[in-house]
Amino acid sequence: MTGKMPKSTAMNALHRVIAALCVGGIVGFGSEMLFYSTPETALGPLDLAWTWAFYALAAYACLGVAAWLGLRDWLSVFLLGCILGWLVEGVVVATVYDALPYTIPFTAMSWHGLISVLLVFAGVRRATTWPLGRHLLFLLALGAFFGVWGQFWQIERQAIPPDTLTYAYLCGLGLIVPLGNMVLDRLPPVYPFARLETVAIWVLFALWWGVQMGTTLNPFYLVLPLAILPTLALLRARRGDALRLTRRPAPPWRHALFMIVPALSALVATQGWRHLDPIESNWPIALLTSGIALALYLYVLLRTLRRAP
């Protein structure tokens, strides 16, 4: 799995950076723009650049783990997404420690792992190989889901921006998903394990986390390694094949169909804000997705323990 691979199929260092930028951009769009539905305040280019950079760093760390251990199936992708979520929510920001224990699954597992990584990244890429009708139904379902989710922002915010800003926010920034997927399809398909890179990026996150814990003296920071290390052990027990980001490149127009998702999300959200009374869509969806994420994690854990000698 980690041996030498033909240069024609394995990514070099530059390709791995590009792959991390693409994956980080796609996952970041799912975790930020599709989560927030519309900007609460004006976003500048630096805000977007920093957000993209942080998600790319987290993606780089997780891609290194995936290349080291391989990915057996979609459940392993979910576990990897949980780790990415904990890096974002527990190192880049500190929301994991705000309302324990609920903030362990939400949003790291229930949104980053389940929705952004499993659905918006892996699911959207896989759907391009499905029959067209099934592909369209998947995208329509995603768009409707995000539009319904966004209804509660009318309660949370003092004012909702104009509809045109919501469309620009979702559809304009949403271009990162099809464009990122098109770039990934043009890269060498195999993401090889680079030990030095992987160790370096994880040391960076460990130091970042350690400095925050040392400056805040918050013992709740110990929750982060207690969540990540067992998940790494689960992934190790579920070792899979070499990491391939692309198995069958899709026509660009199939990737472009993703724009149905932000367009429909913006349509459902804005029409709901305009014509319906405020809907508390946040807590039912949060509880549902958190329950699904915890059930998946427990299922993987029990399944792995049963196979252990």
Side-chain angles (χ1 to χ4, degrees), residues 83-281:
I83 293 175
L84 183 144
W86 286 318
L87 288 177
V88 171
E89 300 294 338
V91 180
V92 178
V93 294
T95 54
V96 164
Y97 320 111
D98 288 345
L100 291 169
Y102 181 59
T103 44
I104 295 175
F106 189 81
T107 58
M109 297 173 67
S110 63
W111 198 280
H112 295 286
L114 183 64
I115 295 174
S116 297
V117 171
L118 193 58
L119 294 181
V120 176
F121 173 64
V124 165
R125 279 188 65 77
R126 181 66 179 273
T128 58
T129 66
W130 296 346
L132 181 58
R134 184 181 174 192
H135 185 192
L136 291 173
L137 285 175
F138 176 70
L139 297 175
L140 289 169
L142 274 184
F145 167 79
F146 292 121
V148 171
W149 158 265
Q151 294 305 305
F152 82 100
W153 289 119
Q154 194 173 8
I155 303 172
E156 294 286 323
R157 299 176 181 177
Q158 293 183 347
I160 294 292
D163 292 359
T164 52
L165 184 57
T166 299
Y167 277 96
Y169 180 72
L170 290 175
C171 297
L173 297 177
L175 288 170
I176 187 63
V177 178
L179 293 177
N181 280 318
M182 291 176 198
V183 171
L184 288 174
D185 275 2
R186 296 184 67 85
L187 293 176
V190 178
Y191 192 104
F193 176 53
R195 186 183 303 274
L196 183 60
E197 289 178 18
T198 304
V199 170
I201 194 70
W202 276 94
V203 167
L204 174 63
F205 272 106
L207 290 174
W208 192 351
W209 168 82
V211 168
Q212 291 177 341
M213 181 176 177
T215 54
T216 62
L217 298 178
N218 184 352
F220 288 154
Y221 271 75
L222 292 172
V223 165
L224 195 68
L226 293 177
I228 290 177
L229 292 177
T231 307
L232 286 172
L234 276 176
L235 282 168
R236 189 172 185 274
R238 296 173 52 81
R239 283 180 178 272
D241 298 328
L243 176 59
R244 297 179 64 92
L245 289 180
T246 302
R247 294 190 178 274
R248 191 174 72 189
W253 68 270
R254 290 293 294 263
H255 287 305
L257 288 176
F258 173 80
M259 295 307 295
I260 292 172
V261 175
L264 181 58
S265 175
L267 176 64
V268 173
T270 55
Q271 292 305 305
W273 296 332
R274 180 181 301 177
H275 299 294
L276 300 177
D277 292 332
I279 300 173
E280 294 185 18
S281 57

